[in-house]
Amino acid sequence: MNKKRVLSGIRASGRLHLGNYLGAVKGMLALQENPEYETFYMVADLHTLTTPYDPKTLKNDVREVVLDYLAVGLDPEKSTLFIQSQVPEHVELAYLFSTTTSLAKLLHLPTYKETLKLHPQHSTVALLYYPILMAADILAYKAQSVPTGIDQEPHIEITREIARKMNSQHGTDFPEPQRFVTEGEYVPALTGEGKMSKSIEGSYINLTDDLETIKRRLAGAPTDSGKGENVPEKGGVANLLIFVELFQGRKIRQEYEKAYTGSGIRYSELKEGLAKAIFEELKPVQERRKRFEQDPELVEKILSKGAEKARNVARETLDETKKAMGLV
Ligand code: TRP
């Protein structure tokens, strides 16, 4: 049987938080365990260069994400784990794809405009090129399924367009990939506004946080009097209830909702219970992380094997594409 392929990646901008975990990593794990799929998971270090970063810490930042991957249960026996820049075929393929990508389309992409707004001093060609490289990441493996957060949807759409254009102009056989959607794909910020993000202090919980840290971060989440006619649909309380549902289940959420319109919620108790539930889920992850932290040689071995395997697949796609485009 020919297995369907999966590719995903996360940028190396620090340790993973619950937003990455629920939005992307849980999908990555689910597909890894599904025997119908062959899974390729990378750290997108080249994409990390599109916004300000520190070259002195980059290598370490990449290793942190690799450790988080291994800690959450991505298994080198089941998934190919690698670092994007160690498979230079992605970049070459991206260049070939750029010949079929419209400039206007890229300039109007919401993700491009938003990032530019955040970093107005860093308007670079690399940032504009971001979606093309991402399309190459995915299509180098002819991946059909991409477990990633909902914010990446515009990039997956561009990937499908590139696949269609390449196939119609050059007769290649790229699939049109779909985003693999998970239950917790939109993870709100603890601050009550927007999504959980590394760049917003107080908005996130890291996978490596201990119980005390989780409690401290939850303590900062805004609440209200705990009572009212209607359960809030937006803001701090609404977000806390989303976390309750994700980590303690729908039933407990419903109990809190009932309390809100009745006797009132005591947030100190809610936050205590929620912190414990989150930590319960993170504990085994942190224990596994420690084991890999103690064996950097093993981690390097996993990565070099992963890169070799990824390169073999990506090179085949690149060769086919070059042939189709008349280069060889
Ligand atoms: N852009 C993705 C993010 O910020 C990271 C990424 C790079 C990616 N290449 C990818 C995700 C390919 C999925 C597939 O989360």
Side-chain angles (χ1 to χ4, degrees), residues 211-264:
L211 184 58
E212 286 317 305
T213 311
I214 296 172
K215 282 186 187 168
R216 185 164 43 77
R217 297 203 200 259
L218 281 177
T223 52
D224 58 12
S225 67
K227 243 180 173 169
E229 248 172 72
N230 297 303
V231 181
E233 285 172 10
K234 273 203 315 239
V237 173
N239 290 356
L240 278 176
L241 291 173
I242 292 179
F243 285 108
V244 167
E245 176 163 349
L246 288 170
F247 288 95
Q248 297 177 280
R250 183 172 293 246
K251 239 181 90 199
I252 296 193
R253 179 197 175 126
Q254 283 165 345
E255 281 167 23
Y256 280 123
E257 285 178 342
K258 230 195 252 154
Y260 195 89
T261 53
S263 58

Side-chain angles (χ1 to χ4, degrees), residues 22-76:
L22 297 165
V25 173
K26 277 208 157 175
M28 292 160 81
L29 283 167
L31 290 168
Q32 165 182 275
E33 300 308 328
N34 185 332
E36 286 175 28
Y37 291 94
E38 184 181 7
T39 45
F40 293 82
Y41 298 133
M42 59 167 205
V43 180
D45 59 345
L46 293 172
H47 279 113
T48 311
L49 313 186
T50 58
T51 48
Y53 76 101
D54 183 353
K56 287 201 229 38
T57 62
L58 181 63
K59 218 172 156 238
N60 188 54
D61 294 342
V62 171
R63 290 302 179 280
E64 294 288 351
V65 178
V66 172
L67 285 171
D68 279 334
Y69 273 174
L70 293 165
V72 294
L74 293 189
D75 178 349

Side-chain angles (χ1 to χ4, degrees), residues 2-19:
N2 249 347
K3 290 193 182 200
K4 288 183 257 180
R5 294 224 184 98
V6 174
L7 178 120
S8 188
I10 294 181
R11 280 161 34 109
S13 45
R15 294 183 171 196
L16 298 191
H17 53 66
L18 287 184

Side-chain angles (χ1 to χ4, degrees), residues 7-11 20 24 42 44 47 84 130 133-135 137-138 146-149 151-152 155-156:
L7 178 120
S8 188
I10 294 181
R11 280 161 34 109
N20 308 120
M42 59 167 205
H47 279 113
Q84 185 186 30
Y130 192 114
L133 180 57
M134 188 160 151
D137 296 336
I138 296 167
V146 184
T148 186
D151 56 314
Q152 295 301 309
H155 295 152
I156 309 288

